Amino acid sequence: SSPLIKNMNNTDLERFKRIAITLDRYKRMPAVMPEKYIWVNLPSYYMQVYDADTVVLESKIIIGKPQTRTPLLYSVISDMVTYPTWTVPNSIIKKQYLPKLKANPYYLSNIGLKLMDSKGEIIDPGTVNWSKYTKGIPYKVVQGSGDDNALGVLKFNFSNPYMVYLHDTNERYLFKNASRALSHGCVRVEKWDKLAYYIARNDSMNLKEGDSLKYNTDSIRTWLENKEKKRIGVKNGIPLFIAYFSCEAKNGKIRFYDDVYGEDKLMREKYFSAK
């Protein structure tokens, strides 16, 4: 929609409705928030790390497109992986890759992806009869770790049923865009390194007596420099909220964001349709 239409929709009444919807969302948050947590607000395209009510880190993020939206959830960061491999989701294989494989069985190899069977053996795509598959394929499509990897050089895992995570990206130039709903559902974090070091320092500071930690900020740096794939178990899991607040108070003013997934529109129709 054109900027003019957007401005016409930004009447005081519309703003009042959006504030009311947002306050309603705040009500559904826990009465007491954790002392430390990661706050991802999708419409703002920002992630913040809160520590004792202070924002200690703020980073631009890229979120899912409206067609492949990032889910709203509450979880806890459980581990980090340096130089991760990426397993391509089935939805991408079905929509984007299958038609191309039928035309050229080596299409995946040409874009740096490997085909693996259930045992983890690498399959020659030229030996597969691609014409018989329509809904998906009985193989995994994996992108090896490295600087070209879609996940970048570090990812943050947390338990969730949607197969999403926070990660770096090999398309870092996209953080310059004002509208950043561009991913297949995962959240790309511009300051992924600062987030990793914050988690590492938090683990170091909260070490119980007699306990030892298998990593620190220096070892993460070393693994990244050496391009080593490592899974780093996080001892003090940091809570993560992926939320949808289309307005928020910033420096004494209320900032309004685009209703990127149309969530406010749904709520508005539900609550205000007769008013």
Side-chain angles (χ1 to χ4, degrees), residues 71-90:
L72 307 181
L73 56 85
Y74 165 70
S75 192
V76 177
I77 301 286
S78 55
D79 59 282
M80 306 186 276
V81 181
T82 56
Y83 274 82
T85 50
W86 180 50
T87 301
V88 180
N90 211 23

Side-chain angles (χ1 to χ4, degrees), residues 1-9:
S1 66
S2 73
L4 179 69
I5 302 286
K6 268 189 195 148
N7 289 341
M8 281 167 63
N9 289 339

Side-chain angles (χ1 to χ4, degrees), residues 105-150:
Y106 289 99
Y107 167 73
L108 291 178
S109 325
N110 294 344
I111 58 168
L113 299 178
K114 293 187 183 76
L115 199 64
M116 281 174 152
D117 65 12
S118 55
K119 298 191 187 77
E121 302 284 328
I122 291 178
I123 300 289
D124 176 354
T127 62
V128 176
N129 174 9
W130 292 109
S131 61
K132 67 179 185 185
Y133 299 117
T134 53
K135 295 231 167 29
I137 58 174
Y139 306 106
K140 279 205 320 193
V141 176
V142 176
Q143 186 179 38
S145 64
D147 295 311
D148 295 334
N149 189 292

Side-chain angles (χ1 to χ4, degrees), residues 68-237:
T68 53
R69 49 173 75 179
T70 299
L72 307 181
L73 56 85
Y74 165 70
S75 192
V76 177
I77 301 286
S78 55
D79 59 282
M80 306 186 276
V81 181
T82 56
Y83 274 82
T85 50
W86 180 50
T87 301
V88 180
N90 211 23
S91 58
I92 298 179
I93 294 171
K94 198 165 75 183
K95 276 197 211 110
Q96 292 178 27
Y97 293 170
L98 245 183
K100 294 195 166 129
L101 284 164
K102 288 176 181 180
N104 169 14
Y106 289 99
Y107 167 73
L108 291 178
S109 325
N110 294 344
I111 58 168
L113 299 178
K114 293 187 183 76
L115 199 64
M116 281 174 152
D117 65 12
S118 55
K119 298 191 187 77
E121 302 284 328
I122 291 178
I123 300 289
D124 176 354
T127 62
V128 176
N129 174 9
W130 292 109
S131 61
K132 67 179 185 185
Y133 299 117
T134 53
K135 295 231 167 29
I137 58 174
Y139 306 106
K140 279 205 320 193
V141 176
V142 176
Q143 186 179 38
S145 64
D147 295 311
D148 295 334
N149 189 292
L151 305 181
V153 299
L154 196 127
K155 79 166 177 162
F156 304 84
N157 285 323
F158 46 91
S159 152
N160 71 88
Y162 311 101
M163 303 255 307
V164 299
Y165 20 86
L166 305 182
H167 63 84
D168 168 33
T169 172
N170 61 336
E171 300 180 305
R172 295 182 184 148
Y173 59 90
L174 290 174
F175 288 110
K176 292 193 185 81
N177 292 14
S179 298
R180 296 191 291 275
L182 304 163
S183 85
H184 288 108
C186 288
V187 175
R188 306 176 194 168
V189 181
E190 186 174 42
K191 296 182 183 168
W192 57 272
D193 47 351
K194 295 201 167 56
L195 180 60
Y197 298 146
Y198 174 82
I199 291 170
R201 285 195 304 273
N202 186 57
D203 265 1
S204 300
M205 275 162 32
N206 291 293
L207 210 62
K208 311 258 184 313
E209 228 173 285
D211 260 5
S212 66
L213 201 57
K214 294 192 171 66
Y215 81 107
N216 57 27
T217 52
D218 288 343
S219 51
I220 295 176
R221 269 194 195 94
T222 304
W223 294 327
L224 289 170
E225 277 163 21
N226 298 342
K227 308 198 172 191
E228 276 181 76
K229 182 179 179 183
K230 285 271 184 198
R231 192 193 151 275
I232 304 163
V234 174
K235 277 211 167 190
N236 291 272

